[in-house]
Amino acid sequence: MKVKVISILEDNYMYLVIEEQSKQAIAVDPAVPHRLLEIVKREGLFLIAVLTTHHHWDHARGNEALVNEVPGLKVYGADDRIKGLTDKVTDSQELKFNSINVKCLFTPCHTSGDMCYYVWEDECTDAPAVFTGDTLFIGGCGRFLEGTAEQMHHNLTKVIASLPQETKVFCGHENTIKNLKFALLVEPENEKVKEMLSWARARDDDDKPTVPSTLQEEFDYNPFLRLSEKAVQKFTGKMEPVEVMRVLRKEMDKFKKPKERLPPQAMLALQWGLLMSSQDRLSPAIKDGD
């Protein structure tokens, strides 16, 4: 099983899960259908199904076009608001596509119909994968748009956390740097956060994705999975896990990513450039006044 990561829109990801022997592929949240089909054609794949995590346009808007372009294509999801839906799935339902298995994990909160997908391949030693959409991010979690802190607490600590620790996490957006900056605010002494933030910045400099992480890694630096840690409780002023979750999300909603400070030489060059530009604009007026 191979997972192809495809960057789209401003910061979204869509994915292709490929059974390498048969060349059959399953798309996850293919919001840019023409690009997906170009990749499918270029790599000689056969698109057989779409897994949709939730109904938002930046995850589901490509479904209808794909159904029209690919005869017999199945589109799976848990929400009737999902465009192009052909098969509605329920919690713990299992799907099988040759040697690839999918378990549907109902995780309502970001939207009331959110579904994560746990994927593994028969007789394969590679780590399984979970496609979390906007429920779990690297270093963070999704906003509680249609749900509650209680629901997200259950989603993260009971549903997703029950998966094998080596499970690879493929999320819906590239929010890693912002998430880790918030994590550092929550736990300023957490060395894992510092290491991961440095790594994520380097990936960003090289224009490379930060997905996937693993569940084991998320427990080391993601504050939304560290609700019982003293530093996280101190930051929120709460001890009960759901209340810690609630305050964390409220603070994250208010959090603005700190601007990267430019090196002194760059700041000097910028200031000099602005000064020269200002003088250029002023000089005609000075001459006219002379």
Side-chain angles (χ1 to χ4, degrees):
M1 183 178 79
K2 174 184 175 183
V3 177
K4 188 171 185 65
V5 180
I6 307 167
S7 299
I8 55 171
L9 306 176
E10 183 178 354
D11 59 17
N12 278 73
Y13 287 121
M14 64 181 178
Y15 300 99
L16 274 172
V17 181
I18 303 166
E19 187 187 55
E20 296 187 89
Q21 186 171 359
S22 69
K23 292 292 186 179
Q24 290 189 341
I26 304 161
V28 181
D29 288 353
V32 183
H34 65 275
R35 185 168 178 203
L36 183 86
L37 291 175
E38 286 172 0
I39 294 170
V40 166
K41 182 178 180 181
R42 184 177 70 233
E43 302 204 3
L45 305 175
F46 304 94
L47 184 64
I48 60 172
V50 170
L51 305 177
T52 309
T53 60
H54 61 291
H55 78 276
H56 287 163
W57 73 272
D58 57 331
H59 296 260
R61 74 169 186 178
N63 291 353
E64 289 181 306
L66 289 173
V67 168
N68 290 333
E69 289 287 335
V70 182
L73 183 69
K74 296 284 190 178
V75 176
Y76 297 91
D79 194 325
D80 290 326
R81 293 173 291 182
I82 294 171
K83 301 295 185 182
L85 187 68
T86 65
D87 293 69
K88 191 172 182 180
V89 292
T90 57
D91 186 38
S92 298
Q93 182 177 343
E94 293 193 9
L95 309 171
K96 188 157 182 70
F97 306 95
N98 291 325
S99 66
I100 293 178
N101 305 277
V102 178
K103 185 173 184 178
C104 304
L105 306 174
F106 190 48
T107 52
C109 182
H110 181 67
T111 72
S112 61
D114 263 59
M115 189 71 78
C116 295
Y117 298 97
Y118 177 62
V119 182
W120 72 98
E121 187 172 13
D122 293 335
E123 300 178 5
C124 180
T125 58
D126 292 343
V130 63
F131 297 89
T132 58
D134 290 2
T135 296
L136 175 67
F137 293 125
I138 297 180
C141 75
R143 290 181 293 160
F144 307 168
L145 296 181
E146 297 179 5
T148 65
E150 287 83 0
Q151 286 179 312
M152 188 59 79
H153 175 262
H154 178 79
N155 294 341
L156 299 187
T157 66
K158 303 298 182 184
V159 179
I160 294 177
S162 70
L163 301 176
Q165 292 292 287
E166 69 272 18
T167 301
K168 295 179 181 179
V169 177
F170 293 91
C171 57
H173 291 270
E174 181 57 59
N175 292 337
T176 303
I177 291 177
K178 179 180 179 180
N179 290 342
L180 291 172
K181 285 182 176 181
F182 177 71
L184 191 60
L185 179 67
V186 176
E187 291 189 274
E189 303 304 319
N190 188 322
E191 293 300 322
K192 289 289 186 179
V193 174
K194 296 175 185 177
E195 290 172 14
M196 187 65 178
L197 180 55
S198 177
W199 175 84
R201 283 169 168 157
R203 297 287 291 182
D204 185 61
D205 288 343
D206 292 337
D207 199 26
K208 293 180 179 178
T210 59
V211 293
S213 65
T214 68
L215 273 183
Q216 185 172 15
E217 291 169 339
E218 292 301 314
F219 277 102
D220 287 338
Y221 53 68
N222 189 328
F224 294 92
L225 287 171
R226 296 172 57 80
L227 305 175
S228 298
E229 294 295 323
K230 289 183 179 179
V232 180
Q233 293 178 343
K234 180 181 178 181
F235 175 82
T236 61
K238 304 291 183 181
M239 295 188 68
E240 200 280 321
V242 171
E243 292 306 313
V244 176
M245 173 74 75
R246 194 186 320 278
V247 174
L248 272 180
R249 187 62 251 184
K250 285 181 179 178
E251 292 300 316
M252 183 66 181
D253 289 341
K254 296 187 294 185
F255 180 71
K256 295 187 183 298
K257 182 169 65 175
K259 293 181 179 179
E260 298 284 354
R261 187 171 180 81
L262 292 171
Q265 299 91 336
M267 285 297 295
L268 184 61
L270 179 61
Q271 290 168 356
W272 179 252
L274 290 173
L275 176 63
M276 293 302 293
S277 176
S278 175
Q279 288 177 339
D280 289 343
R281 289 194 299 272
L282 287 173
S283 57
I286 293 172
K287 289 177 182 177
D288 289 342
D290 280 346

